[in-house]
Amino acid sequence: MSRMLAALSVASSLSFPASAGATVKVVTTIPDFAQLAREVGGDRVTTVSFVSPTQDPHFVDARPSFAVDLADADLLIYAGAELEAGWLPPLLRTAGNAGIMPGETGHLNVATVVPLKDTPPGAVDRSQGDVHPLGNPHTWIDPRNGLRIAIAITSRLKALDPDGTDAYETGLRDFARRLGDKMKEWKDLLAPYAGTKVVVYHKSWIYFLEWAGLVEAGTIEPLPGVPAADSDLTALADRLSGNGVRLVIGESYYPSDSLGFVAEQLGATELTLPAMTGGATGCDTYIDLIDHDVHAVVDALQ
Amino acid sequence: MPLHRTAARRAAGPLLRLPPLILLAAFVPATTLAQVEPPASATEPPAAATEPPAAATEPPAAATEPPAAATEGTATTAAVAGDSGDDLSDLIGPELAAELRTDEETITGQPSGNPAYLGSGAGGAGTATGAGELGPSNLMNPALSLVATFGAAYFTDDRHVPRSGPVPDSTGVHFLEAELGLEAAVDPYFYLKGFFALGADDFETEEVFAETLRLPGGLKFRAGQFLTAFGRSNPTHAHVWEFIDAPLTRERFFSGEGLRSPGLEASWLTPLPFYLKLVAAASMADVPAPGSTPDEATFGKDRDYDFLYSARLESFIPLSDTWSLVLGASAVTGPSGQGAGDRSDVFGGDAFLRYKPTSGDDHFEFKLTAEGDFRRRQFPGNRLTDWAAYLEASFRLAQQWRVALRGDADEGDLTRGDTLTGPARDLGEERGALSVTFFPTEFSLLRLQGNLSHPHGDAWDGPEWVGEFYLEAMFALGAHGAHPF
């Protein structure tokens, strides 16, 4: 048996040519990770991302063509914490690519390189809705996490393609410098609004809100993943009226009439924000995305 | 060290053998030093990584940066590992750098004194609970799931076409089945899945198979008992259907339980830029019979070493980001169970069209499935052919509602002769079905379904039309079953 496995391992190592001279193929679930990989890797990487930036990342079809991309990928980057649990695992098994299996250098689970929030203190079950038992997976929308993810990507790219070490470090430095400059700018813009209360549709903004100094006063979904009925909307509006909520934030794939209703009841501003790179015009890069969202929030609060 | 290593990983061998944190520590000083002129250590990470002191004692590349930064960057090992060795701080400001470093500890469990900046990507915050000091730990337990299905039925006439599988067979309330599922990676090489149907008074192994995880060249093997990869309906489990009952292709040719038997399957994801998969399998010819009499069975075992051989070709065509098309062709051949070397063959073609928008908030989805199968059976001195087909359209009208329509038929030339057990049953059927499904979450559903069945043929002595009405309730516990495409 062990001899057979050894033979297989030799065969598999032969079938994956060294990436020297070639580009590193990076496959990601959400587009932000692909864009960060391009920031770091420049033209040493090619990227493919599965989730459309205007699509709910919880519910993605496991299109068989994704398995084709995974089959010859050098690096897989995904959000983790069960965000993609409904569709990514069978694709990974179909692809059968040893280099991107869990535990390998080519397997980057973002939830292991950023501090997760909302981690349930004890056991959970689905009576609490579609909770993520490992914590909230919507991590990338905090620019500090963007930097952490870029650093992690750099370390993986260096290990997979040692010849590109200089290029990757340069790419990371350049990205970190631009992001750092922007973060100072954003902080100044947001400073006057610290403590402002907002309502969100789904609990997908906690990383952004905490970084931006805003406070989540409630969610429109009564429980994670459970759509709000009219009675839920009214109850939420009753509970929060007079609470000083100024923004109602949701992604484009959540019902805008619910956002609008709650905003109107609370005298707040409805704000549909992209949560992924490419999710709106002018959000073609990760930095542009955060920039767009910060300015949208600041404009709405002015 | 895992047996598997790509050439790239072998090249990076020295790096990978190091604790990830050291790897990153090596990266961090290089960052600052390289502000003006990359030091030698930046181009030789393995060397630097294996000898942190050497990297740390590199002379300062330049001191044009603010003095404080230059001092930090040129500090010794202690500074690299210490709280002032903060190289990215030039770029992102000392506050953010300090913040990244502080919560690094919560992620890696490592002392935050070493500014690794979380780049290792290794491990998680594994909380050591349930570590079974008095016995085996439960941390490696497989994913468990239980899908319970209940049904109520009303038939307009007691004489209706009998169905097989977990579907109500008479007017009344029925416990249909609870499907118990266990799955997990066995080791780096194999993944094991088991599905067991617990009925009211029986236990049945639906599928248990191991599949390979890391074979090169797009190859994958499955061994065990599994549903044969034939068409779109046969390999699926009942709880993912849009209807409580199986389409007539499966019901008539393979039984409501599906065609399954112990065997070995090889599949090959061809190295083409598009999805094209070839599947071939050999499995025992001893399969459950679909009808009440052996002559209904497509296959049967004449000898101990009789096998079924099946093949499938499947292609996926992404028409756009929102429209997908899957085309498939399948064939299975084996002994007909009638002795004398007689054989049965089934050939099928299928198409699946799916629309799922990637923007908007209305959740609308559309699926269209078509499958047609042709069967040819040899009997002593005789050959019978028949066919079955279905067309199914499903609309997701709102986040929690789906409506589906299905038309199916099986027809055939069954009148020509005798089988070992008597005359072949001449029974054809056309059937129309409508289902409305309310699913509060992915894990529960309530379904109302109406069928209008029109059986005919010499073997049919019931009414010309039979109405079948079903109420189905399904609840799923445990691991989030991945959705097949």
Side-chain angles (χ1 to χ4, degrees):
Chain A
M1 189 59 184
S2 66
R3 199 182 306 159
M4 186 189 95
L5 293 176
L8 292 177
S9 78
V10 169
S12 71
S13 63
L14 290 176
S15 70
F16 291 97
S19 45
T23 54
V24 179
K25 181 171 176 183
V26 181
V27 173
T28 74
T29 55
I30 65 165
D32 305 69
F33 304 148
Q35 209 277 320
L36 291 172
R38 287 196 297 275
E39 295 277 12
V40 172
D43 54 14
R44 292 189 77 90
V45 301
T46 59
T47 61
V48 175
S49 53
F50 295 155
V51 182
S52 156
T54 51
Q55 185 178 15
D56 187 343
H58 300 85
F59 302 104
V60 176
D61 278 348
R63 299 180 104 195
S65 53
F66 296 166
V68 176
D69 284 320
L70 288 170
D72 64 351
D74 300 304
L75 175 61
L76 165 69
I77 311 172
Y78 66 108
E82 299 210 331
L83 181 70
E84 302 98 340
W87 54 278
L88 187 60
L91 288 171
L92 261 182
R93 295 202 303 273
T94 304
N97 180 347
I100 60 165
M101 285 293 173
E104 301 289 346
T105 310
H107 184 104
L108 176 54
N109 176 350
V110 164
T112 63
V113 298
V114 298
L116 292 182
K117 299 185 193 297
D118 267 359
T119 308
V124 290
D125 64 34
R126 292 200 184 111
S127 67
Q128 297 154 51
D130 200 1
V131 286
H132 295 288
L134 301 174
N136 190 311
H138 305 272
T139 54
W140 60 90
I141 193 75
D142 173 344
R144 294 168 302 188
N145 287 343
L147 185 58
R148 293 187 176 102
I149 297 165
I151 292 170
I153 291 173
T154 306
S155 119
R156 298 306 177 96
L157 288 175
K158 285 163 64 181
L160 290 165
D161 175 23
D163 292 347
T165 298
D166 281 356
Y168 299 133
E169 290 182 353
T170 306
L172 175 65
R173 272 197 306 277
D174 180 58
F175 172 71
R177 184 181 292 115
R178 281 183 287 123
L179 185 70
D181 289 348
K182 272 290 186 185
M183 283 175 74
K184 290 180 198 108
E185 187 187 318
W186 294 329
K187 212 140 209 176
D188 292 343
L189 280 171
L190 289 163
Y193 308 106
T196 303
K197 288 179 181 166
V198 303
V199 165
V200 296
Y201 188 88
H202 178 72
K203 243 182 162 356
S204 46
W205 292 95
I206 54 165
Y207 294 91
F208 177 83
L209 295 179
E210 204 228 64
W211 165 74
L214 306 178
V215 176
E216 183 187 287
T219 60
I220 294 182
E221 286 180 332
L223 292 169
V226 177
D230 289 350
S231 56
D232 295 319
L233 297 177
T234 318
L236 179 72
D238 286 350
R239 185 161 59 83
L240 293 178
S241 73
N243 232 353
V245 171
R246 295 197 56 198
L247 291 177
V248 179
I249 298 177
E251 292 90 332
S252 64
Y253 41 81
Y254 291 122
S256 61
D257 45 355
S258 300
L259 294 174
F261 176 83
V262 172
E264 196 190 318
Q265 294 290 307
L266 296 177
T269 307
E270 172 191 351
L271 204 55
T272 299
L273 289 183
M276 286 182 269
T277 300
T281 25
C283 297
D284 296 333
T285 68
Y286 179 79
I287 292 177
D288 288 346
L289 170 77
I290 309 289
D291 201 47
H292 175 278
D293 286 356
V294 168
H295 279 98
V297 165
V298 169
D299 289 351
L301 290 175
Q302 265 171 359
Chain B
M1 206 59 192
L3 286 170
H4 273 275
R5 269 183 285 139
T6 65
R9 290 194 63 223
R10 249 181 293 137
L15 264 178
L16 296 171
R17 272 183 223 109
L18 288 165
L21 288 178
I22 296 181
L23 211 172
L24 256 287
F27 163 70
V28 171
T31 312
T32 303
L33 293 172
Q35 289 282 1
V36 176
E37 185 185 299
S41 67
T43 56
E44 292 165 14
T50 48
E51 293 164 14
T57 52
E58 286 278 333
T64 53
E65 292 291 309
T71 316
E72 284 162 11
T74 58
T76 56
T77 316
V80 170
D83 55 4
S84 64
D86 204 349
D87 313 278
L88 284 174
S89 67
D90 309 345
L91 304 169
I92 57 179
E95 276 175 41
L96 173 57
E99 210 175 326
L100 290 181
R101 203 169 50 231
T102 305
D103 54 29
E104 167 199 333
E105 187 170 352
T106 56
I107 298 175
T108 61
Q110 300 291 325
S112 62
N114 190 343
Y117 292 113
L118 316 177
S120 74
T127 48
T129 52
E133 283 81 0
L134 294 176
S137 154
N138 63 14
L139 292 174
M140 289 294 183
N141 279 354
L144 280 169
S145 63
L146 186 73
V147 184
T149 316
F150 307 92
Y154 171 73
F155 295 90
T156 55
D157 196 297
D158 286 344
R159 292 164 299 166
H160 53 84
V161 181
R163 315 286 180 201
S164 56
V167 63
D169 54 2
S170 62
T171 294
V173 176
H174 303 265
F175 163 59
L176 298 177
E177 70 171 24
E179 184 195 272
L180 178 67
L182 289 93
E183 60 179 281
V186 175
D187 58 20
Y189 310 103
F190 298 105
Y191 194 88
L192 186 71
K193 282 184 173 187
F195 298 100
F196 308 93
L198 311 171
D201 47 17
D202 57 353
F203 173 93
E204 195 178 0
T205 300
E206 292 185 321
E207 293 189 280
V208 177
F209 60 84
E211 64 180 25
T212 57
L213 286 175
R214 289 171 182 244
L215 290 186
L219 272 177
K220 180 180 280 293
F221 286 92
R222 287 202 293 171
Q225 170 159 307
F226 47 84
L227 288 159
T228 302
F230 185 103
R232 282 202 71 79
S233 156
N234 193 65
T236 58
H237 288 192
H239 56 84
V240 302
W241 300 345
E242 296 285 347
F243 298 92
I244 196 171
D245 48 3
L248 289 178
T249 49
R250 171 171 170 152
E251 171 75 40
R252 187 65 185 251
F253 295 165
F254 301 136
S255 97
E257 303 284 358
L259 179 64
R260 62 176 190 221
S261 60
L264 178 71
E265 176 193 273
S267 66
W268 183 39
L269 186 61
T270 58
L272 295 166
F274 57 93
Y275 179 91
L276 183 70
K277 195 162 95 167
L278 287 162
V279 186
S283 58
M284 292 304 295
D286 200 7
V287 295
S292 48
T293 56
D295 70 273
E296 291 293 294
T298 303
F299 302 107
K301 191 171 73 167
D302 292 327
R303 295 163 298 187
D304 284 344
Y305 46 90
D306 276 338
F307 283 94
L308 301 180
Y309 299 97
S310 66
R312 176 167 171 82
L313 181 68
E314 187 176 278
S315 176
F316 173 81
I317 301 152
L319 302 173
S320 70
D321 283 348
T322 50
W323 286 92
S324 307
L325 179 65
V326 179
L327 295 175
S330 315
V332 56
T333 180
S336 67
Q338 301 291 337
D342 288 337
R343 299 192 69 77
S344 289
D345 315 294
V346 187
F347 306 96
D350 55 271
F352 175 63
L353 180 69
R354 179 163 190 172
Y355 170 74
K356 182 181 165 106
T358 53
S359 61
D361 60 7
D362 62 1
H363 298 280
F364 180 81
E365 287 174 41
F366 168 66
K367 291 186 245 180
L368 185 70
T369 312
E371 186 171 342
D373 299 339
F374 171 79
R375 175 170 70 168
R376 190 171 61 196
R377 289 184 295 169
Q378 284 181 333
F379 293 90
N382 205 343
R383 195 176 76 171
L384 302 182
T385 61
D386 54 353
W387 60 268
Y390 71 93
L391 180 68
E392 177 182 312
S394 155
F395 305 85
R396 183 176 182 178
L397 299 178
Q399 183 169 356
Q400 297 171 315
W401 290 90
R402 278 198 306 262
V403 169
L405 290 157
R406 182 181 67 195
D408 51 5
D410 70 72
E411 314 290 337
D413 169 22
L414 297 180
T415 54
R416 287 194 298 172
D418 293 343
T419 68
L420 286 184
T421 54
R425 204 155 59 123
D426 174 28
L427 175 65
E429 183 181 5
E430 291 96 49
R431 186 173 66 172
L434 169 69
S435 78
V436 179
T437 305
F438 169 64
F439 51 109
T441 66
E442 300 284 298
F443 310 103
S444 60
L445 66 78
L446 285 173
R447 173 174 291 147
L448 198 58
Q449 179 182 336
N451 288 356
L452 188 59
S453 156
H454 176 54
H456 52 79
D458 288 347
W460 182 247
D461 58 355
E464 195 176 348
W465 297 93
V466 183
E468 308 169 349
F469 300 92
Y470 301 106
L471 181 65
E472 180 185 9
M474 198 208 75
F475 309 93
L477 275 189
H480 189 125
H483 317 177
F485 185 80

